[in-house]
């Protein structure tokens, strides 16, 4: 399971011209689910996302996590994160989870994070337009 996290001052997801998820300060989490992922990996990644220290403290050092910074999460399913790009000029998605497993683990990840912090979401398997203001820019690749 992979999370590409971006520290943002705002982010939103639109589907068919309608906003389905929106946050202010927090993390945009692009989430990719691989075929061997399970709830244990989702738990581990949720803990990491919630506790990863990417927000500035009073000395502007990255010592605060999203919860301590009073931020929110916007979690967007993104299967392209699990693409194999090592060979050729076209990505392979052979490591991606089947849609049923991916949707189940996406929902589970959102639920686990939602137990501790405000979470907005995109729409699984929809054609989404994601907009954000990356703060920093600060972007990290996390994997469980």
């Amino acid at each position: 399971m992979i999370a590409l996290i971006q520290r943002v001052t705002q982010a939103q997801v639109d589907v068919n011209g309608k906003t389905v998820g929106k946050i202010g300060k927090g993390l945009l989490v692009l989430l990719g689910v691989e075929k061997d992922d399970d709830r244990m990996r989702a738990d581990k990644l949720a803990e990491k996302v919630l506790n990863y220290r990417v927000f500035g403290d009073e000395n502007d050092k990255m010592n605060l996590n999203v919860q301590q910074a009073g931020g929110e999460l916007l979690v967007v399913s993104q299967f392209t994160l699990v693409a194999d790009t090592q060979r050729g000029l076209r990505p392979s998605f052979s490591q991606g989870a089947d849609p049923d497993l991916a949707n189940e683990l996406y929902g589970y990840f959102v639920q686990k994070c939602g137990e501790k912090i405000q979470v907005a979401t995109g729409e699984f398997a929809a054609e989404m337009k994601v907009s954000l203001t990356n703060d920093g820019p600060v972007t990290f690749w996390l994997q469980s």
Side-chain angles (χ1 to χ4, degrees):
M1 189 169 276
I2 298 166
L4 182 72
I5 63 171
Q6 297 179 313
R7 187 178 72 188
V8 299
T9 57
Q10 66 81 32
Q12 77 178 47
V13 177
D14 295 329
V15 176
N16 296 323
K18 179 183 173 206
T19 300
V20 296
K22 183 176 183 176
I23 65 168
K25 173 182 159 183
L27 295 175
L28 171 61
V29 180
L30 302 175
L31 187 71
V33 181
E34 296 174 291
K35 64 181 176 182
D36 294 329
D37 286 338
D38 55 24
R39 286 182 175 222
M40 191 167 77
R41 285 189 178 162
D43 286 338
K44 183 178 175 185
L45 189 59
E47 259 327 283
K48 197 168 196 178
V49 166
L50 290 169
N51 292 294
Y52 213 68
R53 299 182 304 166
V54 298
F55 289 87
D57 62 13
E58 64 278 355
N59 298 315
D60 207 26
K61 300 286 184 199
M62 285 191 198
N63 281 324
L64 302 178
N65 65 44
V66 66
Q67 299 170 91
Q68 294 166 322
E72 305 168 280
L73 296 183
L74 175 56
V75 182
V76 177
S77 175
Q78 186 162 350
F79 77 96
T80 59
L81 283 177
V82 302
D84 179 357
T85 59
Q86 296 299 310
R87 286 176 264 142
L89 298 176
R90 184 172 185 209
S92 167
F93 298 103
S94 62
Q95 293 304 308
D98 70 71
D100 290 337
L101 175 63
N103 190 20
E104 190 267 320
L105 289 176
Y106 169 74
Y108 180 77
F109 178 89
V110 168
Q111 173 195 335
K112 292 303 283 185
C113 292
E115 292 172 1
K116 296 189 176 181
I117 191 170
Q118 184 69 36
V119 178
T121 65
E123 186 177 310
F124 186 84
E127 182 70 29
M128 296 177 275
K129 304 297 182 205
V130 181
S131 60
L132 67 134
T133 303
N134 192 321
D135 183 20
V138 173
T139 303
F140 291 96
W141 174 283
L142 305 178
Q143 200 163 8
S144 68

